[in-house]
Amino acid sequence: MVRVEGRSKQGARPRLARAGRTRRVVIIAAPGAEMLDVVGPFQVFASATQLARTDADSAPIYRVEIVSCSRRTAFMTNCGLRMSAHRSFRDVRGQIDTLLIAGGSAIEEDRTSPEVVRWVREIAARTRRVGSVCTGALLLARAGLLDGRRATTHWNWCEGLARRYPQVMVEPHPIFIRDGNVYTSAGVTAGMDLALALVEDDHGSRLALRVARQLVLYLRRPGGQAQFSAALSLQLSDRQPLRELQTWVLENLDKSLSVQALAEHVAMSPRNFARVFGREMRVTPGKFVERLRVEAARRRLEETRHSLKKIAGQCGLGSVGSMRRIFQRLVGIPPGQYRQHFRYAGSS
């Protein structure tokens, strides 16, 4: 049996330690819980606490607990690993700052008891913020906490969430969504993106970036980013030529990537290529290339000190003005602001 404890180690960042406030985070898990829905956010908050502490006597910034949805604290996760929660939901006392619902089979199949649903509804009313990871959104919806709100969940469950709870405004694409004090996130690892965003809300971008670096997360993704990157979408195609096209496009972003050029590379006529690509990818080749270019530009903004002019040229986005307009349309903020907010400290 594996027991997950919320102990913290000595770290840095004295300003946070002097604040002296510990936020209590409760993660709700039911039988069949998705393992990463639980331990992913748990580790983010634990790492933030480790990095923020200056000495053994300083107050931890987070105290994280796993709470089971049954009388027993032990439960089996969906991957077959048994976990032991800190306590049952019936034994929770005191103030909670953040309540997160992990997804899993019991929630997906509505096997959580009415007592649990009532408890979630009541505890949420006196909690600063409430959220879900993956299909945990189904329990929030069942408790009426998503009525009239924008929400998301794992892409494979968005249609089911909308069908079961038509009063919820389901958005299938974002990594996570905030609507008031209610947060919902997409599948599995998106729970770590959400947790990082919550850390940033509480303690600033610097600590969130340090946590991301410590956990070797490739990218701290903003909530509005699509659940599928453009490159991943192409990998899902059944057609080998289209899957292989990705590497060639990424290596030639600064070149002319017209429909004719793409069609020639996969030995298809432009008309047939555009038809097949649109059917497979549900987007035009031009818009797809634009998304790849923006994703590449974002990585350079986060990881390098290159000028906006150089990045625009490397990624085939034309002038700085053109890149700014495209970023504003697809990302929601201009590239300069994006870099200021998301660039890792020490980028080369």
Side-chain angles (χ1 to χ4, degrees):
M1 182 181 297
V2 176
R3 186 174 183 85
V4 184
E5 300 291 350
R7 295 172 180 165
S8 301
K9 298 179 182 178
Q10 186 170 338
R13 194 75 185 277
R15 181 176 67 82
L16 294 175
R18 284 199 297 270
R21 179 184 177 189
T22 300
R23 289 180 166 88
R24 184 185 183 192
V25 178
V26 169
I27 300 175
I28 303 296
E34 172 68 50
M35 184 71 176
L36 286 179
D37 287 4
V38 180
V39 301
F42 193 110
Q43 185 61 63
V44 168
F45 290 116
S47 294
T49 300
Q50 292 165 7
L51 290 168
R53 294 191 78 171
T54 57
D55 56 64
D57 296 325
S58 61
I61 61 172
Y62 295 109
R63 178 163 60 92
V64 193
E65 306 169 22
I66 298 175
V67 170
S68 71
C69 283
S70 63
R71 296 182 180 182
R72 293 179 293 183
T73 57
F75 63 94
M76 188 73 75
T77 63
N78 68 341
C79 65
L81 182 62
R82 184 175 294 275
M83 294 185 69
S84 181
H86 293 86
R87 56 185 52 82
S88 164
F89 76 98
R90 293 184 171 186
D91 300 322
V92 173
R93 302 289 184 273
Q95 186 64 40
I96 296 173
D97 176 85
T98 303
L99 180 72
L100 293 179
I101 314 293
S105 58
I107 291 175
E108 294 161 7
E109 298 165 10
D110 281 343
R111 288 191 281 111
T112 48
S113 69
E115 183 182 6
V116 170
V117 178
R118 286 194 301 271
W119 180 84
V120 168
R121 185 185 303 118
E122 292 168 1
I123 208 73
R126 54 181 189 270
T127 299
R128 182 171 70 98
R129 61 190 178 195
V130 180
S132 62
V133 182
C134 198
T135 54
L138 292 164
L139 180 53
L140 289 183
R142 189 177 172 194
L145 298 175
L146 298 183
D147 288 359
R149 295 185 185 272
R150 298 167 54 240
T152 192
T153 185
H154 188 286
W155 62 269
N156 198 39
W157 278 91
C158 285
E159 184 178 341
L161 175 61
R163 184 176 61 254
R164 291 190 199 181
Y165 304 99
Q167 63 273 40
V168 180
M169 294 179 284
V170 180
E171 298 185 14
H173 301 300
I175 294 294
F176 60 85
I177 289 176
R178 176 184 182 180
D179 190 327
N181 71 329
V182 179
Y183 298 72
T184 52
S185 65
V188 197
T189 57
M192 300 181 76
D193 295 295
L194 173 58
L196 281 168
L198 298 180
V199 169
E200 182 175 10
D201 285 348
D202 295 339
H203 299 288
S205 179
R206 182 182 173 191
L207 180 60
L209 287 168
R210 291 177 66 201
V211 172
R213 287 175 66 86
Q214 185 190 56
L215 298 180
V216 199
L217 296 176
Y218 177 67
L219 179 67
R220 185 163 60 89
R221 300 177 292 181
Q225 183 175 335
Q227 295 189 30
F228 283 114
S229 69
L232 179 58
S233 298
L234 194 58
Q235 291 170 16
L236 296 176
S237 172
D238 291 331
R239 291 177 174 263
Q240 185 69 21
L242 294 186
R243 293 201 300 270
E244 293 176 348
L245 183 64
Q246 170 197 323
T247 301
W248 183 79
V249 169
L250 290 173
E251 291 175 349
N252 293 275
L253 289 175
D254 60 337
K255 306 294 194 307
S256 173
L257 296 175
S258 63
V259 171
Q260 183 173 346
L262 297 176
E264 287 178 359
H265 185 73
V266 295
M268 297 172 68
S269 70
R271 181 176 179 181
N272 188 44
F273 170 77
R275 180 180 59 79
V276 171
F277 193 98
R279 186 180 65 233
E280 291 278 323
M281 307 309 302
R282 299 186 183 279
V283 68
T284 66
K287 289 183 178 179
F288 181 82
V289 168
E290 185 179 63
R291 285 178 55 193
L292 278 178
R293 283 174 163 155
V294 168
E295 289 176 8
R298 286 176 50 194
R299 288 195 296 273
R300 286 168 170 79
L301 289 168
E302 292 156 3
E303 299 168 3
T304 76
R305 296 180 184 273
H306 295 167
S307 68
L308 297 185
K309 181 178 180 180
K310 183 174 182 178
I311 292 174
Q314 290 175 334
C315 299
L317 292 172
S319 66
V320 173
S322 175
M323 181 169 72
R324 185 178 294 112
R325 289 190 294 273
I326 294 171
F327 257 69
Q328 197 72 54
R329 174 164 49 85
L330 296 183
V331 183
I333 57 176
Q337 184 179 342
Y338 183 91
R339 164 172 272 173
Q340 182 179 12
H341 195 64
F342 292 106
R343 184 172 65 82
Y344 284 135
S347 297
S348 59

